[in-house]
Amino acid sequence: MLNGSVEATIAIVFGVVALGPIIAERLRIPGLVGLIAGGVIFGPFVVGWLDADGLVGSLGAIGILVLMFLAGLSFDIRAFSENRRMAITYGLLGFVIPFVLASTVIWSRDDVEPLGALLIGAMWASNTLVAYPEVQAAGLQSTRSVGAAVSAGVVADLLSLTVLALATSTVVIEIEPRDLPFGGSIAEVIAPDAVEPSTPDPALPLWIGLPLLVGFCLWVLPRVARWFFVRVGRTRPQRVVFTIALMGAGSLVALLGGMEGLIGAFLAGLGLNRQVPTHGPLMERLDFTGTTIFVPVFLVSIGLSIDPALLIDPETIQLGLLFTAFVVVGKSAAAIITGLINRLDLNEIGIMSSLSFGQAAATLAIAEVGSQLDMFGQNITNAAVLAIVITAFVTSLSTRWFARRVTPPVVDRRPLGEQILLDTRAISSDQTSFATLAARIAEPDGGVVRPYGVSGDGPLDAARANASRLVDAVAALGLDAEAVVRVDDSFEAATSSLTTQVEASAIMLDWNGPKWVTDIIFESDVDGVGRASTVPTIAAHVIRPWDRVIVDLRDPDTSWQREDAELATAVGRAARGHSPRPLIVLCGDRDLASEWLTGLEEDELVTIVDDPGERGALVDELSPNDLVVAPAHVVRDLPPFRARRFVRALEGMNVMVVAGPHRLALTQSAAHRRLSPTIGPAPEV
């Protein structure tokens, strides 16, 4: 009786959306696989609790539009302009080589029509930057090779969607051959009589519809949005709703020209790119709406049409491996040619190509459309899902491997304590000890502590009172402090804005300790601020004064891990202050630790421990009056059983976790690995 009801569908679908990525990530599998697998399990081929039609199908149809819309919104136009020559070169080659390779091979098969072969070629000519967090964590996002890979992805996706537009328009207007955008014998091969129209006759021929769509999305929509934001829509909810309406308008114009709506949604996102800042509160709400509801449901709906028995079929496995080869060979060849033209070294070429191996957004969209139009069979979609899983692993592992070998660009680092933004929420720390710690970090650099409070739409009294208390606590230590209060209903957005406004050199957040269960499910503000932060970020749980400082660096083996380890050492040195407190540094590389402790060689209270056995014994003997300082990757990369031990050991202790820009993430939560065209500040297209 309940099976198939709206209530049961909502409970099952959103249960899969909430738990699927978490379970997948714990198994070291990309989160999108967990969503698709959930659809397979509860779909008609296994349990049978969900149908592909009805509510799930409708939400999935919206999800594919939102997915492409957000991809356009998040495109970094400035980065593309700065590196446009190499980006266009790599984008064109990264499209043409896989497209020609895949189309030619698939065209030779008897079970795929020529038009379907072109669409399959377009599937593997696009890419999704699922491995971008790896280069961001390594501090390589500003390198030429990474910038080219990011921008070239949009070029490749635009070309892939253009092929989709031509293909779907040709299918739709096949009933009237004279309206084809090309004629003669070629038209008869590309559009055979077996192809059935999928939508009503288009109102406009393609040669009119496509230019109209481009002009409407890139010229009309930005002006309409600007007028609404200035004249009518002053509140964020109004702007969110109107922006989604503009996405629908772009999709509708695409349908009028006989193209799929997702093409219009993507172009609408590009058109509204300037009106919706990537890190602004409006984008935050659009991103939350799309990536929390519609995009995950779209991925679940993909799984509903997959028969799991076919995934282990030898033909499906063979096709999946063949599709993977199209991607790896095609993108690698494009990267090598582009690298030789622009004089990149082998590691830069490697990271550029490996970033482009990932497939998800456009690939799934094109596969879904092609399957619905009967341009190819369900076996192609099944093999595409298998290839997406394989490429997700390949792009992650290869990007991480090359990231270790690419030298990050040299940037002038500001003194850590120059301008410290100090969280005043008073979540769990003792406020006097918390302020003292911030003052100790600022003191060596002659810096200023800026306690900041964030208030929603209500009164500012509470935020002002908290900030004033911390100003008094810092001032009592003889340091300069200045309070800042901001009105915003998002703590993360307010912190990001204040970082720019006051030119902060570091952010120090009050952290309620490693509450792993709730953080894994819901994610904490600390993770959100840490990933968005453009400056070093510190999460501190300080509940009492400390008598000893323990800096646990483990064995940093990459450039960005060494950078975070150096930051943690600097914080530990500052936290020690001028008093004769013991400072113990646990590090597998004694030479590195000695370099970071320059000036303290003769201090008998400073100790470096590099023996693994001694390090483990010291961790086991920590006392409540110790202050433990660690880089974020040490905490985040703990295996589950050691993470539980860590939680038990540090629950009642002083803890500080330190990370460089964009790297403070303390859990592998679903939100941290969320499925979105944007991962962090960079586009995933």
Side-chain angles (χ1 to χ4, degrees):
M1 179 178 69
L2 297 179
N3 189 26
S5 66
V6 172
E7 294 81 0
T9 300
I10 291 175
I12 296 168
V13 169
F14 288 100
V16 171
V17 169
L19 299 177
I22 296 174
I23 296 172
E25 287 159 9
R26 285 296 174 266
L27 298 174
R28 306 295 184 184
I29 298 172
L32 67 88
V33 178
L35 292 170
I36 296 174
V40 172
I41 293 170
F42 293 101
F45 296 102
V46 183
V47 178
W49 292 355
L50 295 175
D51 296 324
D53 300 324
L55 179 60
V56 180
S58 298
L59 289 176
I62 298 173
I64 195 173
L65 297 179
V66 174
L67 179 68
M68 303 311 296
F69 180 62
L70 292 177
L73 278 181
S74 59
F75 175 52
D76 192 337
I77 295 176
R78 185 175 64 180
F80 177 78
S81 300
E82 292 174 352
N83 203 21
R84 60 181 177 274
R85 180 179 175 183
M86 188 161 65
I88 292 174
T89 302
Y90 185 43
L92 290 173
L93 292 173
F95 168 81
V96 170
I97 296 176
F99 175 73
V100 172
L101 179 64
S103 300
T104 302
V105 174
I106 296 300
W107 200 314
S108 63
R109 293 172 59 94
D110 296 332
D111 59 339
V112 179
E113 297 290 346
L115 191 61
L118 295 178
L119 206 57
I120 292 172
M123 286 168 53
W124 307 112
S126 64
N127 66 272
T128 301
L129 300 175
V130 297
Y132 189 83
E134 301 291 346
V135 298
Q136 188 181 53
L140 301 175
Q141 62 268 31
S142 59
T143 60
R144 287 200 307 157
S145 54
V146 172
V150 171
S151 300
V154 177
V155 175
D157 277 4
L158 277 172
L159 294 172
S160 294
L161 292 177
T162 301
V163 173
L164 177 63
L166 293 170
T168 55
S169 179
T170 300
V171 171
V172 170
I173 63 180
E174 187 273 337
I175 55 175
E176 296 180 2
R178 66 179 180 276
D179 290 334
L180 286 169
F182 38 78
S185 58
I186 296 179
E188 295 176 0
V189 173
I190 296 297
D193 294 338
V195 177
E196 297 292 335
S198 63
T199 63
D201 296 345
L204 299 169
L206 181 65
W207 63 272
I208 293 178
L210 186 57
L212 176 64
L213 174 64
V214 173
F216 179 76
C217 291
L218 302 186
W219 191 85
V220 176
L221 289 187
R223 285 159 175 78
V224 172
R226 189 180 303 114
W227 170 83
F228 183 83
F229 291 170
V230 172
R231 302 278 184 175
V232 181
R234 301 295 180 87
T235 67
R236 290 191 189 117
Q238 290 173 331
R239 293 183 176 185
V240 169
V241 172
F242 191 73
T243 303
I244 294 175
L246 294 181
M247 176 199 74
S251 304
L252 182 61
V253 173
L255 290 179
L256 292 176
M259 294 166 282
E260 284 294 322
L262 62 92
I263 299 167
F266 182 74
L267 290 176
L270 286 178
L272 297 176
N273 187 283
R274 295 284 191 185
Q275 308 302 316
V276 184
T278 303
H279 303 298
L282 177 57
M283 182 63 186
E284 182 182 85
R285 284 157 178 75
L286 290 168
D287 187 52
F288 176 81
T289 301
T291 59
T292 304
I293 300 175
F294 295 113
V295 175
V297 174
F298 162 64
L299 295 171
V300 173
S301 71
I302 291 289
L304 298 182
S305 60
I306 296 176
D307 185 348
L310 296 178
L311 289 177
I312 59 175
D313 179 70
E315 182 184 3
T316 301
I317 296 174
Q318 181 183 7
L319 268 177
L321 294 175
L322 183 62
F323 290 160
T324 303
F326 293 154
V327 174
V328 174
V329 173
K331 299 296 184 181
S332 296
I336 290 171
I337 296 172
T338 304
L340 293 176
I341 294 173
N342 293 274
R343 298 181 179 179
L344 301 179
D345 63 36
L346 290 178
N347 289 324
E348 290 177 310
I349 292 173
I351 201 168
M352 184 165 63
S353 61
S354 61
L355 264 179
S356 305
F357 292 158
Q359 303 290 313
T363 305
L364 281 173
I366 296 173
E368 182 73 0
V369 171
S371 177
Q372 290 174 354
L373 299 184
D374 291 328
M375 292 186 181
F376 41 72
Q378 183 62 37
N379 64 323
I380 298 294
T381 303
N382 293 342
V385 172
L386 181 60
I388 287 170
V389 174
I390 297 173
T391 56
F393 283 106
V394 172
T395 189
S396 179
L397 294 174
S398 60
T399 300
R400 188 178 305 172
W401 192 87
F402 283 111
R404 296 172 184 267
R405 289 157 177 79
V406 175
T407 303
V410 178
V411 293
D412 295 330
R413 184 189 300 170
R414 295 173 59 195
L416 185 67
E418 185 176 281
Q419 295 275 354
I420 297 181
L421 270 181
L422 186 63
D423 180 11
T424 64
R425 291 175 300 168
I427 294 176
S428 64
S429 295
D430 172 71
Q431 293 298 280
T432 300
S433 300
F434 189 63
T436 300
L437 189 52
R440 291 284 175 262
I441 297 172
E443 186 177 7
D445 299 319
V448 175
V449 177
R450 294 182 178 271
Y452 75 101
V454 178
S455 175
D457 296 331
L460 297 174
D461 296 344
R464 286 198 182 108
N466 288 339
S468 296
R469 278 196 294 270
L470 283 179
V471 166
D472 294 339
V474 174
L477 298 170
L479 270 76
D480 190 16
E482 182 179 0
V484 184
V485 177
R486 189 176 184 90
V487 177
D488 199 308
D489 54 4
S490 168
F491 178 77
E492 296 177 28
T495 303
S496 180
S497 299
L498 283 172
T499 302
T500 303
Q501 178 181 324
V502 305
E503 298 182 342
S505 58
I507 302 171
M508 185 167 161
L509 302 171
D510 193 356
W511 179 41
N512 63 353
K515 308 299 182 184
W516 292 92
V517 175
T518 54
D519 285 355
I520 286 173
I521 297 175
F522 299 109
E523 188 182 47
S524 66
D525 285 341
V526 169
D527 280 6
V529 172
R531 288 197 318 274
S533 174
T534 57
V535 299
T537 310
I538 303 167
H541 175 63
V542 189
I543 54 181
R544 64 178 64 85
W546 55 96
D547 299 326
R548 185 173 64 162
V549 179
I550 312 292
V551 181
D552 189 355
L553 306 179
R554 298 297 166 91
D555 302 301
D557 60 352
T558 67
S559 58
W560 65 270
Q561 288 180 354
R562 287 191 291 272
E563 182 181 336
D564 284 359
E566 184 177 3
L567 283 170
T569 306
V571 169
R573 290 184 62 162
R576 183 190 184 216
H578 300 296
S579 60
R581 294 187 181 95
L583 171 62
I584 302 173
V585 179
L586 313 180
C587 183
D589 191 333
R590 176 174 287 271
D591 292 334
L592 268 181
S594 299
E595 178 184 340
W596 298 330
L597 293 172
T598 301
L600 299 178
E601 297 89 345
E602 304 300 323
D603 194 327
E604 296 180 354
L605 295 178
V606 176
T607 307
I608 300 174
V609 179
D610 58 354
D611 179 78
E614 292 184 37
R615 284 187 281 164
L618 275 168
V619 170
D620 292 337
E621 295 172 2
L622 292 174
S623 75
N625 291 327
D626 289 335
L627 171 63
V628 180
V629 184
H633 66 87
V634 170
V635 178
R636 185 179 61 244
D637 294 342
L638 286 174
F641 73 96
R642 295 190 64 184
R644 290 193 295 270
R645 179 184 176 192
F646 175 82
V647 170
R648 289 195 299 269
L650 302 184
E651 187 173 5
M653 299 186 62
N654 299 316
V655 185
M656 292 182 70
V657 182
V658 185
H662 305 297
R663 292 199 286 264
L664 184 67
L666 302 175
T667 63
Q668 297 293 332
S669 63
H672 177 51
R673 298 283 188 184
R674 66 184 186 274
L675 295 159
S676 162
T678 54
I679 298 182
E684 182 191 352
V685 291

